[in-house]
Amino acid sequence: MRKIELPLKEDDILSLKVGEWVELSGPCYSARDSAHKRIFEALEKGERLPINLKGSTIYYMGPTPTPPGRVIGSCGPTTSKRMDPFTPRFLSFGVKGFIGKGKRGKEVREAIEKFKGIYFVTIGGAGAYLSEKIKDMKLVAYEDLGPEAIYYLELYRFPVMVAIDSYGEDFFNK
Amino acid sequence: MRIIEGEEIYKLVKKLIEDANFDLPLSILNALKRAKEEEENPNAKIVLDILIKNAEIAKEKRIPICQDCGMVIIFLEKGEEVCIKGPLEEYLKKAVREAYLENFLRSSVVKDPLLRENTNDNTPPIIHWEIMPGDKIKISVMIKGFGSENASTVKMLNPTLEKEEIVREVINHVKEYGPNACPPLIIGLGIGGTMEKAIYLSKKAIFRDLYERNKKPHLRELEEEILDKVNSLNIGPGGLGGKTTALDVRIEDYPTHIAGLPLAINLQCCAIRFKEIEI
Ligand code: SF4
């Protein structure tokens, strides 16, 4: 598998094609339903955000509590579709990559093509395996949301497949 | 009358919940290994390989099989000649609470479906009772994540439907909802009874042994036909293509009303977490 560094570089994004498997290494943020809602509300109100969206990659994931001596608990992807209403706006604010599972709506596909972003899928039900592919984790914001809080994650050779590439080609809609 | 202390049930249920979260049933692990050998699709091979490793890591390092540690469903089949000293519901809640907090399992239950405040200990569980003859108790625990729960449904079909139309209902459903339900799936179908009975049967079907067919020949045939058709949809492991969309299809049936044909479709994801014990 080809290795790709995060944050994503424009050249890498443009060279990645739908269906290709790669290993991602580097920083990203976790965010799922409630965190999306809060970021969105902050954007609407023009408030300062707890993370810098520009150039970032977001992983749709809410981990199990971290057991002693481990970096993170079980941490597989959640269904991406529920985040669809927020995604085009996130892209317009500079988010480049998304990691989740399952197909996305047409608006997301079009926005990914327009803003030259990329959508990766990883494997649902593989949370224990994926916990070994994360080298660091820190709480960043919204602690009260528990597993739905935003975490900084340092991926290391984290396996994903390109599901929507920057040309708008969609694995699930061929 | 045999008497069982609620305390004993609590200990057993707690252990069943823990085992289920860390230990994929061996028959399922073997089925994944076999599927990996038989798959030709490269994506399917990658996904199955990772799911096999996932089960091994989960067991060895005690990391939950999936981060969605689900809602706990407890099926209690109680013999008529045995009595449990309660308060049983409290004991069952205690089993869930302790199993989740002590083992770093994710609490995913909210108190109120609209206000959505987390109970922070994954209680309450869903409890189902059944009465059976004898003086034994059978306890079955299922951990159900909501990626696949949300992909399940019940349909109240027209009683004059042909068999082929029932097959089509199931196939269309799997086509639409299967890819997001973390395949390889086990498909539990409840046919007949009333609406809730059909759903109950579709859930209980998941406990059946792998590849054990329904005793009625026409239902056995239906199971085989649906399994074949589902596996030619090219959904595959992780929804990324291949012929292992489902490991098994099980139908449970019950007498029904002249005017009805309830059909419940329960999609069980690849994080198959159940354990049972009879005492
Ligand atoms: S559907 Fe199953 S395997 Fe997928 S995330 Fe939910 S519990 Fe885990």
Side-chain angles (χ1 to χ4, degrees), chain A residues 21 62 74 76 101 125-126 128-129, chain B residues 43 54 61 64 66-67 106 180:
Chain A
W21 284 87
S74 194
K101 73 168 165 103
Y129 176 87
Chain B
N43 287 349
N54 186 69
K61 305 194 173 168
C66 183
Q67 75 287 340
R106 198 180 86 187
N180 276 353

Side-chain angles (χ1 to χ4, degrees), chain A residues 21 32 62-68 70 74-77 79 101-103 121 123-129 132 147 161 171-172, chain B residues 43 46-47 50-51 53-54 57-58 61 63-67 69 104-107 147 175-176 180 182 239-241 270-271:
Chain A
W21 284 87
R32 44 175 291 161
T64 59
T66 309
R70 305 277 307 178
S74 194
C75 56
T79 302
K101 73 168 165 103
K103 59 183 168 194
V121 290
I123 298 150
Y129 176 87
E132 309 244 289
M161 191 200 82
F171 180 86
F172 298 106
Chain B
N43 287 349
I46 294 174
V47 174
I50 289 179
L51 290 177
K53 288 183 179 145
N54 186 69
I57 292 169
K61 305 194 173 168
I63 309 294
I65 292 172
C66 183
Q67 75 287 340
C69 303
F104 303 94
L105 301 173
R106 198 180 86 187
S107 301
K175 227 189 246 170
E176 175 72 18
N180 276 353
C182 296
L240 304 181
C270 65

Side-chain angles (χ1 to χ4, degrees), chain B residues 23-265:
Chain B
D23 192 4
L24 195 74
L26 190 62
S27 60
I28 303 296
L29 182 59
N30 288 335
L32 294 177
K33 288 181 178 166
R34 221 170 15 249
K36 187 186 142 195
E37 294 309 312
E38 286 167 7
E39 274 286 359
E40 285 132 34
N41 185 304
N43 287 349
K45 278 191 181 292
I46 294 174
V47 174
L48 288 167
D49 183 57
I50 289 179
L51 290 177
I52 292 163
K53 288 183 179 145
N54 186 69
E56 290 163 354
I57 292 169
K59 186 171 181 180
E60 197 186 303
K61 305 194 173 168
R62 283 186 79 76
I63 309 294
I65 292 172
C66 183
Q67 75 287 340
D68 183 352
C69 303
M71 256 187 123
V72 180
I73 312 175
I74 303 170
F75 298 86
L76 284 166
E77 289 163 66
K78 192 185 83 66
E80 280 155 338
E81 284 142 48
V82 53
C83 172
I84 305 173
K85 265 198 183 165
L88 190 63
E89 206 182 314
E90 287 313 309
Y91 277 121
L92 294 176
K93 271 194 188 168
K94 184 174 163 202
V96 173
R97 182 181 310 121
E98 291 185 6
Y100 275 70
L101 296 181
E102 289 170 16
N103 293 282
F104 303 94
L105 301 173
R106 198 180 86 187
S107 301
S108 312
V109 176
V110 295
K111 244 176 245 168
D112 176 298
L114 299 185
L115 304 178
R116 309 210 67 88
E117 189 194 335
N118 201 303
T119 63
N120 290 321
D121 58 9
N122 222 47
T123 62
I126 308 289
I127 304 167
H128 296 298
W129 283 100
E130 258 183 88
I131 302 293
M132 60 177 183
D135 67 350
K136 299 254 186 293
I137 295 179
K138 187 166 168 195
I139 312 169
S140 312
V141 166
M142 176 185 282
I143 309 296
K144 190 73 198 278
F146 261 55
S148 59
E149 188 71 358
N150 285 341
S152 300
T153 193
V154 62
K155 294 168 189 273
M156 304 305 280
L157 302 177
N158 191 322
T160 56
L161 274 196
E162 295 293 330
K163 197 184 101 193
E164 285 320 307
E165 290 168 281
I166 297 177
V167 174
R168 201 170 323 128
E169 286 286 343
V170 178
I171 299 302
N172 287 343
H173 184 83
V174 175
K175 227 189 246 170
E176 175 72 18
Y177 295 96
N180 276 353
C182 296
L185 310 168
I186 290 183
I187 301 173
L189 301 175
I191 305 186
T194 49
M195 182 179 80
E196 84 283 7
K197 181 71 179 179
I199 297 174
Y200 182 74
L201 292 172
S202 75
K203 280 271 158 76
K204 285 215 81 178
I206 302 305
F207 288 95
R208 206 200 278 175
D209 282 342
L210 203 58
Y211 313 133
E212 182 194 322
R213 298 269 72 96
N214 191 299
K215 302 236 170 0
K216 295 185 182 171
H218 69 293
L219 293 179
R220 174 198 182 101
E221 263 172 43
L222 199 56
E223 290 174 342
E224 281 163 359
E225 181 179 346
I226 293 173
L227 182 60
D228 262 7
K229 294 215 162 116
V230 162
N231 282 340
S232 31
L233 291 174
N234 195 32
I235 294 173
L240 304 181
K243 58 185 181 186
T244 319
T245 303
L247 297 175
D248 207 356
V249 174
R250 294 123 187 218
I251 298 175
E252 296 287 334
D253 66 302
Y254 199 80
T256 189
H257 189 276
I258 47 173
L261 176 52
L263 167 70
I265 307 174

Side-chain angles (χ1 to χ4, degrees), chain A residues 5 13 25 40 50 59 73 119 141:
Chain A
E5 295 289 327
I13 294 178
S25 299
F40 202 77
Y59 180 21
Y119 168 53

